Amino acid sequence: MNYHLSQLPERTAKPRESGFTMAMDKGLSVREAENFVDVAGGYTDIIKLGWATSFVTPNLEQKLEVYRAAGIPVYFGGTLFEAFIVRDQFDDYRRMLDKFQLTFAEVSDGSIDMDHGKKCEYIRTLSEQVTVLSEVGSKDAEKIIPPYKWIQLMQDELDAGAWKVIGESREAGNVGLFRSTGEVRSGLVEEILTKIPFEKIIWEAPQKAQQVFFIKLLGANVNLGNISPNEIIPLETIRLGLRGDTFTHFIDKTLLDKLV
């Protein structure tokens, strides 16, 4: 940090199990990736190349090398996994992971209907090759999954070998965990947390109000994902109580009483 302030929440250090920030790269150029890691690499734990953007991204290997040199792991979005699966190309997918020296992979079923037992088989197989993140929730706004089902799906996928489970919201933050307006389904979140440890979940929260909700609920070291590269620094200030939305959240209340 550039100077000292007291009464800041303690942040976990990288590599971390909680306080994890996943950035979404939706098509940065190599130069933009260099600028991104120069400014925000210290606050970024992993980078997702959104959905299947890696298929059409120019200079992909050069960009991956930028992230690798910065010590930030990268994975390709779960929609790409589904694109391989729906074409019966699972072995090709595994070879592709090796080709690009990826150490993480996302398993999802948000765009296709997949037998959950089969999804867990994919998780078990891939977990022998890479670290698996599995995504729970549908990209279809009309498909509402009841809380007990979220819990069961998450637990089964953790048991199958997923390192963490991701709560789906899409890049806009308007499905899955959230209503179409972006409002958090708070009852769903709180029910999930009765059974699944918070450090095992990455909540996709691209909108500032969503980030604030989770930080106020679970503290500075909640795992958050689908964060735009230019929102990594702003998010860190929210985590530390240095933005208006959480400004007094971490301050000792007796001190506040003296000042007011």
Side-chain angles (χ1 to χ4, degrees):
M1 302 304 171
N2 294 317
Y3 38 84
H4 173 71
L5 283 171
S6 65
Q7 297 194 53
L8 297 180
E10 184 176 350
R11 288 285 279 123
T12 51
K14 296 170 65 174
R16 48 191 156 208
E17 285 289 321
S18 61
F20 198 81
T21 296
M22 176 259 280
M24 180 185 277
D25 174 343
K26 297 192 287 185
L28 297 181
S29 68
V30 173
R31 189 170 293 108
E32 287 171 327
E34 291 171 340
N35 291 338
F36 164 47
V37 299
D38 182 53
V39 173
Y43 305 111
T44 303
D45 296 276
I46 197 166
I47 296 168
K48 171 167 69 174
L49 302 194
W51 56 101
T53 56
S54 59
F55 185 75
V56 297
T57 296
N59 304 310
L60 176 61
E61 294 195 61
Q62 288 177 251
K63 182 160 73 168
L64 292 177
E65 184 52 41
V66 169
Y67 293 144
R68 197 174 292 121
I72 306 173
V74 180
Y75 68 100
F76 296 164
T79 301
L80 182 68
F81 164 79
E82 296 179 54
F84 275 89
I85 295 305
V86 79
R87 291 167 174 79
D88 195 23
Q89 291 182 247
F90 182 53
D91 289 340
D92 291 335
Y93 178 78
R94 297 186 67 188
R95 284 189 283 270
M96 181 273 296
L97 295 177
D98 287 339
K99 174 185 176 182
F100 290 104
Q101 302 175 55
L102 299 178
T103 56
F104 284 78
E106 180 183 320
V107 173
S108 70
D109 57 354
S111 298
I112 58 175
D113 289 324
M114 184 187 302
D115 175 78
H116 195 243
K118 186 65 176 176
K119 182 182 181 183
C120 289
E121 283 183 31
Y122 288 130
I123 292 170
R124 276 189 285 271
T125 300
L126 285 172
S127 65
E128 297 175 0
Q129 179 180 354
V130 293
T131 300
V132 175
L133 299 164
S134 67
E135 186 175 71
V136 175
S138 175
K139 290 178 169 57
D140 182 352
E142 301 302 316
K143 187 173 181 180
I144 304 299
I145 302 172
Y148 81 90
K149 189 68 172 178
W150 279 83
I151 292 168
Q152 187 62 61
L153 295 173
M154 285 181 165
Q155 189 59 62
D156 287 350
E157 293 174 26
L158 289 168
D159 291 344
W163 175 56
K164 293 188 188 298
V165 288
I166 301 170
E168 168 74 81
S169 81
R170 300 200 75 174
E171 70 277 7
N174 58 1
V175 299
L177 297 169
F178 308 105
R179 296 182 173 87
S180 59
T181 59
E183 180 187 359
V184 182
R185 297 181 188 274
S186 56
L188 168 63
V189 169
E190 290 172 9
E191 193 154 349
I192 289 171
L193 288 166
T194 65
K195 299 294 184 181
I196 308 296
F198 90 101
E199 67 272 10
K200 285 293 183 180
I201 306 170
I202 299 174
W203 309 96
E204 290 187 343
Q207 298 182 27
K208 184 184 74 166
Q210 297 165 354
Q211 298 159 17
V212 170
F213 170 86
F214 284 109
I215 290 167
K216 285 186 172 180
L217 180 68
L218 295 169
N221 292 308
V222 62
N223 299 319
L224 297 175
N226 279 15
I227 310 301
S228 172
N230 63 356
E231 292 296 329
I232 297 293
I233 294 289
L235 170 59
E236 194 64 23
T237 64
I238 296 171
R239 289 188 186 274
L240 294 172
L242 296 175
R243 192 170 182 176
D245 310 87
T246 56
F247 192 75
T248 60
H249 189 70
F250 300 104
I251 297 291
D252 183 88
K253 298 302 183 277
T254 58
L255 178 59
L256 285 176
D257 290 342
K258 289 180 182 178
L259 294 173
V260 176

